[in-house]
Amino acid sequence: MDKVIIFDTTLRDGEQAAGGTLNIQEKLQIARQLEKLGVDIIEAGFPISSPGDFEAVKLIAKEIRTPVICALARAHPHDIDRAWEAVREAEHPRIHVFLSASDIHLLHQLKKSREEILQTSHDMVVRAKKYTDDIEFSPMDASRTEPEYIYQILKAVIDAGATTVNIPDTVGYAIPDEFGHLIGGIFQNVPNIKQAIVSIHCHNDLGLAVANSLEAVKQGARQVECTINGIGERAGNASLEEIVMAVKTRKDFFNLTTDINTVQIYKTSRLVSELTGFTIQPNKAIVGANAFRHESGIHQDGVIKMPITYEIMDPRTVGIPASSLVLGKLSGRHAFRERLAELGYSLNEKDLSRAFAAFKELADKKKNVTDRDIESLVAEEQRTVSEAYHLDRIQVSCGDRGIPTATVRLIAPDGQVLADAALGTGPVDAMYKAINRLVGVPNVLTEFSVKSITEGIDAIGEVVIRIESEGITYTGRGADTDIIVASAKAYINALNRLLAAQGIAG
Ligand code: KIV
Ligand code: ZN
């Protein structure tokens, strides 16, 4: 059976999503999980875009040995040299060169002729080829480019040594049938096409990224570029989990396979959501909270009698924990460790002790501790491991009579205990003002959201906030049964990320 190559671009196009910035360690953490997931290629970043991106690609190239590690480069000599510097230590390096091809881009953005673009595409692939054999080329905005011109570009770059040619629907404009025709036409009209893998890269502006990708696969494309949870520029990219599960579930139709270890999907999805701060909509296919929940009585009756009646996939195949086992305050360290292992976490003794202490504290407040609670708890522990400022105490007073007041105590990077109090329009505002006075780094709060991660009045509340400083957005998350405490943790988390990125502390 033919294999579809899975090219994951969560760390590059995914990270381009507004507000989705990740730091170097977070990128490495995601890359490790992508390796476990079994992706063939990790597009680790765009090295020329910033020193941070360069360092992240370099680190991933050094550490992650099984997948191909790819770096993106514009069709400029300096970009290509920098991309190579970043991936040169990879076991399997790839350079991905791109250049706009549509008349719209040529006329309004690049102000270049088709001949110039054709020549540059060829020459830059030749340049990249001096560094490594594995070269991918993308004619950007291909879906709005005259097909005959795409054929010419592809022929030229394959002659120059490109081993993968990628057809991007950059602005998510294509319709499945039309995109399928474009791919079919490429196979028929590019004379040297057999010397390269045909790849596709679809954006989701019309909600068609997965449909377009699958149509292209039907036409013979054998590499799909996609992201976890479909995150990416604007409306996002094609979602990896949807493509992989469509190919797997409808093997009868596609007669294709992937090397994805599907039981790692859920964990990868949670990790990406956690680190980017992008929550997953409940009805999101495959990984949404409702994706395997049956509400209607008729459906529930069918599923109890035989799951296949209303379930086309077994939730366990994507790693959704099947166990309904809940832990409580009498559960011991052993049971806690077992449950963590079943959820895919392997913590060292020190982290286990911290997580177990947090679990006991939670179990005192909450009768049943569910898998989602445990995931949130482990995430919370991981967030606090390398923080500069640590939230020591917070106390608020609020109500419809008095002026909301917050008193905050923080531990500074040098171990000093800092305390202050502030008034605000509400308890969260007061708390943010007090923290800001203590930390003293200018920033603007641009987003604040709170949600309960499990049902029930004693549920853990999870807060996601975004702050902006010098044009860059930093996301922070915090979880606690008390939403004011969760808000303070989220704010400290975002500030710590800002401080680390600006090299001020941490
Ligand atoms: O959407 C796009 O065209 C891209 C290219 C860089 C492949 O992301
Ligand atoms: Zn893209």
Side-chain angles (χ1 to χ4, degrees):
M1 216 187 292
D2 244 357
K3 171 182 152 171
V4 178
I5 297 165
I6 300 296
F7 176 114
D8 180 277
T9 183
T10 306
L11 296 175
R12 200 278 297 170
D13 223 349
E15 207 222 2
Q16 271 175 236
T21 345
L22 298 162
N23 66 33
I24 295 178
Q25 285 311 319
E26 289 165 341
K27 285 187 183 176
L28 181 62
Q29 207 182 334
I30 292 178
R32 288 198 176 114
Q33 181 57 32
L34 290 172
E35 187 177 37
K36 279 194 199 152
L37 179 66
V39 305
D40 299 283
I41 298 146
I42 295 176
E43 187 164 51
F46 188 9
I48 197 81
S49 67
S50 72
D53 227 35
F54 175 83
E55 289 306 329
V57 177
K58 201 167 164 55
L59 184 64
I60 291 168
K62 242 195 232 170
E63 298 248 336
I64 308 293
R65 305 317 280 171
T66 311
V68 170
I69 305 299
C70 175
L72 184 69
R74 286 170 302 182
H76 293 170
H78 189 48
D79 275 42
I80 292 170
D81 301 347
R82 193 82 174 139
W84 173 244
E85 255 184 81
V87 290
R88 63 186 307 160
E89 287 182 74
E91 187 78 38
H92 312 286
R94 171 179 295 190
I95 300 175
H96 176 187
V97 182
F98 74 99
L99 183 57
S100 284
S102 67
D103 286 342
I104 300 174
H105 284 203
L106 268 54
L107 189 68
H108 301 292
Q109 192 179 14
L110 302 186
K111 312 215 183 303
K112 293 238 160 88
S113 68
R114 284 189 177 186
E115 290 67 35
E116 284 172 286
I117 295 294
L118 193 61
Q119 191 63 50
T120 308
S121 304
H122 174 275
D123 295 352
M124 291 304 109
V125 170
V126 169
R127 186 178 186 102
K129 196 75 180 178
K130 282 199 296 198
Y131 292 127
T132 173
D133 258 355
D134 191 345
I135 304 298
E136 172 167 334
F137 182 84
S138 295
M140 192 155 80
D141 204 18
S143 54
R144 293 192 300 168
T145 305
E146 195 187 306
E148 280 66 31
Y149 183 50
I150 294 279
Y151 306 153
Q152 282 179 35
I153 296 180
L154 298 188
K155 177 175 181 315
V157 296
I158 295 171
D159 278 343
T163 42
T164 300
V165 285
N166 179 46
I167 311 303
D169 180 21
T170 303
V171 290
Y173 181 73
I175 301 295
D177 189 49
E178 175 194 44
F179 197 60
H181 267 95
L182 175 63
I183 303 301
I186 286 169
F187 280 107
Q188 279 163 16
N189 294 292
V190 179
N192 51 1
I193 198 68
K194 288 218 168 82
Q195 293 164 38
I197 303 274
V198 175
S199 167
I200 35 92
H201 174 112
C202 297
H203 279 270
N204 206 29
D205 300 66
L206 293 174
L208 293 170
V210 170
N212 284 332
S213 304
L214 292 173
E215 187 60 39
V217 163
K218 246 171 70 189
Q219 296 299 326
R222 285 297 173 267
Q223 174 178 292
V224 176
E225 302 200 351
C226 43
T227 60
I228 301 295
N229 301 336
I231 64 167
E233 187 82 44
R234 305 179 312 279
N237 289 59
S239 133
L240 180 148
E241 60 278 7
E242 292 175 23
I243 287 170
V244 167
M245 290 313 291
V247 168
K248 185 178 169 79
T249 309
R250 296 305 311 273
K251 200 162 13 169
D252 60 317
F253 181 81
F254 290 105
N255 198 27
L256 292 166
T257 56
T258 71
D259 281 347
I260 295 296
N261 179 8
T262 59
V263 294
Q264 292 289 336
I265 285 178
Y266 178 72
K267 181 146 185 258
T268 316
S269 161
R270 298 281 335 142
L271 179 71
V272 169
S273 166
E274 164 68 28
L275 295 181
T276 56
F278 293 134
T279 43
I280 302 163
Q281 74 204 57
N283 60 322
K284 165 82 177 67
I286 318 295
V287 290
N290 289 349
F292 293 95
R293 272 189 183 169
H294 304 275
E295 191 67 22
S296 122
I298 296 173
H299 290 206
Q300 287 177 348
D301 173 63
V303 169
I304 290 165
K305 288 177 176 149
M306 180 60 85
I308 198 179
T309 49
Y310 292 94
E311 249 177 32
I312 60 165
M313 295 166 271
D314 181 336
R316 285 168 299 187
T317 57
V318 297
I320 292 184
S323 161
S324 57
L325 188 77
V326 285
L327 300 181
K329 69 177 181 187
L330 297 178
S331 307
R333 190 182 165 99
H334 183 69
F336 182 65
R337 187 205 296 265
E338 295 271 293
R339 197 75 209 109
L340 281 178
E342 278 162 28
L343 292 173
Y345 297 106
S346 62
L347 303 189
N348 62 34
E349 283 306 313
K350 197 165 148 232
D351 289 348
L352 179 71
S353 296
R354 283 165 57 105
F356 184 61
F359 159 72
K360 279 291 186 187
E361 209 179 299
L362 177 64
D364 265 343
K365 296 181 192 157
K366 196 172 186 288
K367 192 161 171 276
N368 293 325
V369 179
T370 66
D371 290 343
R372 281 293 286 115
D373 292 326
I374 293 175
E375 283 170 2
S376 164
L377 202 140
V378 173
E380 188 58 43
E381 286 308 301
Q382 284 172 350
R383 271 195 286 268
T384 55
V385 169
S386 58
E387 54 185 9
Y389 285 87
H390 176 75
L391 178 71
D392 185 39
R393 271 175 215 185
I394 164 121
Q395 194 180 329
V396 295
S397 86
C398 59
D400 63 354
R401 301 284 153 197
I403 301 173
T405 312
T407 310
V408 175
R409 205 160 88 169
L410 302 182
I411 312 289
D414 59 2
Q416 219 189 317
V417 177
L418 309 173
D420 207 339
L423 309 178
T425 50
V428 173
D429 183 45
M431 176 263 292
Y432 283 174
K433 283 188 176 133
I435 293 177
N436 262 337
R437 285 222 289 253
L438 292 173
V439 177
V441 176
N443 71 85
V444 179
L445 180 74
T446 55
E447 202 181 309
F448 172 86
S449 72
V450 55
K451 76 172 170 72
S452 133
I453 60 161
T454 47
E455 291 95 357
I457 197 72
D458 57 355
I460 292 184
E462 198 170 58
V463 173
V464 177
I465 72 141
R466 291 186 212 280
I467 57 175
E468 218 178 276
S469 173
E470 295 178 5
I472 301 178
T473 299
Y474 301 89
T475 304
R477 284 188 123 165
D480 201 279
T481 47
D482 181 321
I483 57 166
I484 301 295
V485 177
S487 306
K489 285 179 175 174
Y491 195 45
I492 293 288
N493 181 234
L495 284 172
N496 280 330
R497 295 169 74 154
L498 184 164
L499 294 169
Q502 295 184 352
I504 302 172

